[in-house]
Amino acid sequence: MNLILLGPPGAGKGTQARMLGEARKLIQLSTGDMLRAAVAAGTEIGKLAKETMEAGKLVSDDVVIGIISERIDEPDCRDGFILDGFPRTVAQAEVLDELLVQKNKTLDAVIEIKVDDERLVKRITGRYTCAKCGEGYHEEFRRPEKDGICDKCAGTEFSRRKDDNEETVRSRLTAYHTQTVPLIGYYGNSGRLKSVDGMLEINSVAKQIEVALTEL
Ligand code: ADP
Ligand code: ADP
Ligand code: ZN
């Protein structure tokens, strides 16, 4: 099964992609994670993307399409993947549809996670992740069971994203509303869209997604 998780920054795409990936043995493909890895490694793509990401704007369609196209050819994607943070523009969605046809793959569903803007700012400014395994946490909404120790890997180092500050969040939200929201119409018209209430707690959102998938 191949899925897209669609939603604004901080909606819970990464959190749900990780849970769903584990439950259904699907590979999580986050363009944000891939771009951050490229920035950290100082590759050509990383150099191109760094400033744009720090400003909370979208990296060019060509760059992200190139990354995703190569990644879904990898053997681990054969049995299914979850796209987290891609596509983010109608142009990306159109190319993705073409790529999937060429690669003989299907898109089974697009799951939209809906959350109000004001909640998103709180979600993002309180977000941090385990530096070792990437598990996501939140100062208020998702604390590790034991303070300072990752539930998943017992790691004790955590990191925060440079773009997770209030000012950059506002420009990321603007980018979402102007460039990404049109995808809801794009996928809605093709009957592939399922929407869930992302304002509820993490496990309730996961349940809604499971229900949506069993209806397919
Ligand atoms: P995205 O990948 O869409 O940007 P994340 O999955 O990283 O979002 O979630 C953003 C922050 O909000 C994280 O700190 C995460 O722990 C927290 N979070 C995710 N889903 C929920 C939820 N349903 N309720 C409360 N907090 C959540
Ligand atoms: P969020 O948690 O806010 O949804 P991501 O980790 O998905 O953030 O993305 C972080 C940044 O990486 C974005 O603000 C953007 O600059 C860049 N990015 C990620 N995916 C894409 C994409 N599909 N198209 C363009 N830019 C992207
Ligand atoms: Zn960890």
Side-chain angles (χ1 to χ4, degrees):
M1 175 181 313
N2 301 318
L3 304 170
I4 291 175
L5 287 189
L6 183 66
K13 302 180 297 296
T15 303
Q16 297 298 332
R18 245 177 124 88
M19 291 166 72
L20 191 60
E22 269 176 35
R24 293 200 171 226
K25 302 269 172 292
L26 302 170
I27 300 288
Q28 177 192 2
L29 302 179
S30 156
T31 40
D33 285 348
M34 294 174 203
L35 289 166
R36 278 185 290 279
V39 171
T43 64
E44 281 309 308
I45 285 179
K47 284 180 201 153
L48 281 174
K50 188 169 187 280
E51 272 182 35
T52 313
M53 292 173 79
E54 282 171 10
K57 298 196 174 131
L58 293 187
V59 173
S60 81
D61 290 337
D62 290 350
V63 166
V64 286
I65 288 165
I67 298 181
I68 279 294
S69 175
E70 278 184 17
R71 185 63 187 85
I72 58 183
D73 287 337
E74 298 285 325
D76 63 344
C77 289
R78 213 174 24 213
D79 298 331
F81 52 80
I82 305 168
L83 291 169
D84 157 12
F86 179 92
R88 258 175 154 97
T89 63
V90 171
Q92 290 176 21
E94 287 170 349
V95 176
L96 176 65
D97 276 338
E98 287 166 21
L99 286 175
L100 292 175
V101 171
Q102 279 167 23
K103 297 175 195 290
N104 216 0
K105 291 179 191 284
T106 53
L107 175 61
D108 298 283
V110 178
I111 300 179
E112 181 205 2
I113 307 180
K114 294 168 102 150
V115 177
D116 298 345
D117 280 10
E118 283 319 304
R119 182 75 60 86
L120 295 170
V121 175
K122 214 169 172 193
R123 291 252 183 110
I124 287 182
T125 51
R127 163 161 68 186
Y128 62 97
T129 49
C130 170
K132 196 165 152 196
C133 76
E135 186 68 8
Y137 293 98
H138 191 280
E139 282 165 4
E140 197 177 324
F141 308 133
R142 191 176 184 282
R143 303 176 65 94
E145 270 170 44
K146 283 190 205 134
D147 268 349
I149 302 174
C150 175
D151 296 343
K152 283 276 151 75
C153 77
T156 54
E157 275 183 49
F158 297 88
S159 63
R160 282 178 187 261
R161 280 167 47 181
K162 209 170 174 182
D163 60 343
D164 277 352
N165 57 73
E166 179 150 2
E167 195 195 331
T168 311
V169 170
R170 299 277 173 200
S171 57
R172 284 157 63 197
L173 285 175
T174 304
Y176 180 75
H177 288 295
T178 55
Q179 293 170 277
T180 308
V181 164
L183 287 182
I184 295 166
Y186 180 85
Y187 289 119
N189 292 337
S190 69
R192 292 178 282 188
L193 188 71
K194 304 263 178 192
S195 297
V196 299
D197 181 359
M199 300 285 280
L200 305 180
E201 53 158 24
I202 293 175
N203 288 328
S204 309
V205 179
K207 266 195 207 117
Q208 292 177 73
I209 295 177
E210 274 303 335
V211 170
L213 294 182
T214 52
E215 285 168 358
L216 290 180

